[in-house]
Amino acid sequence: MHPLTALDEAVTHCRRCPRLVAWREEVATVKRAAFRAETYWARPVPGFGPPDAAIGIVGLAPAAHGGNRTGRMFTGDPSGDFLYAALHAVGLASQPTSVARDDGLRLHGVRMMAPVRCAPPDNKPTPAERDNCRPWLAQELRLLHPGLRAVVVLGGFGWQALLPVLAAAGWQVPRPRPKFGHGTRVDLTAADGQVLHLLGCYHVSPHNTYTGRLTPAMLQEVLNRAKALAGLA
């Protein structure tokens, strides 16, 4: 078994945060009407994508009726619809939709990650919950390190959560730490000389996509930049 596969399996059994455990399981019982006939995943959601990915995508946390229902990141909700359509448009996904873990979707050179692996109430994990989950992200990044060249960070929460993990893992993060912004690019160097390109992008939540703050063209532009920096263009 690949170490990343073993990590993904271990993630699904985590119960470190009582509030999140209670919430994810409650959501799976008090279901949204449209999904009443479905059995929810209701566990922490592991990363998704190949172990030799050159590009990482870091979000926030699974959606209550998205990843918490389907068991795959950005799957089964409007945020995922927007993200996977853009990934497919730039050649990083095998299909433009992501509706279930067994729908045949494959990512090309991309790995999905999140600072928090359980769906939080109101999409707002606490600092303690973020910190409880940090070791999973840190280990995932260590395993991806040999091939990882670029990371697209969706939103300010992911940006602020990711920088300390990278610093602790040996990446030289500038001080003061760079601020998040759409289109921001920061290049970090590891102890072995490897350069990692961080790219900021507004989150793909409906709050941004329905209002036009983030358009498909804007997201595709960031993804194409990541492709070029990662050598996948």
Side-chain angles (χ1 to χ4, degrees):
M1 178 184 294
H2 191 279
L4 200 54
T5 304
L7 177 69
D8 289 343
E9 174 62 22
V11 164
T12 68
H13 299 287
C14 184
R15 300 182 67 86
R16 292 175 185 169
C17 303
R19 187 182 78 115
L20 298 188
V21 171
W23 174 250
R24 77 192 193 209
E25 294 177 356
E26 178 184 342
V27 168
T29 302
V30 185
K31 305 174 184 179
R32 184 169 287 175
F35 310 124
R36 190 164 293 151
E38 296 188 27
T39 300
Y40 277 50
W41 173 260
R43 288 186 278 162
V45 180
F48 172 52
D52 59 350
I55 299 172
I57 295 180
V58 174
L60 193 164
H65 301 281
N68 187 57
R69 173 174 60 88
T70 64
R72 191 166 72 192
M73 288 191 180
F74 288 110
T75 296
D77 59 36
S79 296
D81 295 342
F82 192 91
L83 177 58
Y84 285 111
L87 286 166
H88 181 259
V90 302
L92 293 174
S94 63
Q95 61 192 45
T97 58
S98 180
V99 297
R101 284 183 300 135
D102 58 356
D103 62 5
L105 173 66
R106 296 291 180 270
L107 297 181
H108 306 310
V110 175
R111 173 83 177 177
M112 300 280 184
M113 297 173 276
V116 177
R117 305 303 172 107
C118 293
D122 299 320
N123 293 319
K124 293 179 180 178
T126 66
E129 289 162 352
R130 175 202 63 201
D131 293 345
N132 279 346
C133 218
R134 182 174 291 172
W136 297 123
L137 181 60
Q139 179 64 7
E140 193 166 18
L141 287 167
R142 281 193 289 270
L143 293 173
L144 291 169
H145 177 95
L148 195 64
R149 296 295 179 266
V151 176
V152 175
V153 188
L154 302 174
F157 183 96
W159 185 270
Q160 293 301 324
L162 177 63
L163 290 177
V165 177
L166 292 173
W171 300 94
Q172 297 174 14
V173 177
R175 288 192 174 275
R177 287 176 178 165
K179 295 182 179 179
F180 170 79
H182 182 84
T184 296
R185 171 182 165 185
V186 179
D187 296 339
L188 309 179
T189 304
D192 62 2
Q194 179 177 314
V195 176
L196 183 67
H197 309 283
L198 297 188
L199 300 173
C201 179
Y202 291 140
H203 197 278
V204 292
S205 69
H207 175 75
N208 290 328
T209 61
Y210 289 177
T211 61
R213 188 183 191 209
L214 179 66
T215 65
M218 291 168 63
L219 177 55
Q220 289 174 34
E221 180 182 10
V222 174
L223 293 173
N224 275 319
R225 287 181 67 197
K227 280 183 63 176
L229 291 167
L232 298 181

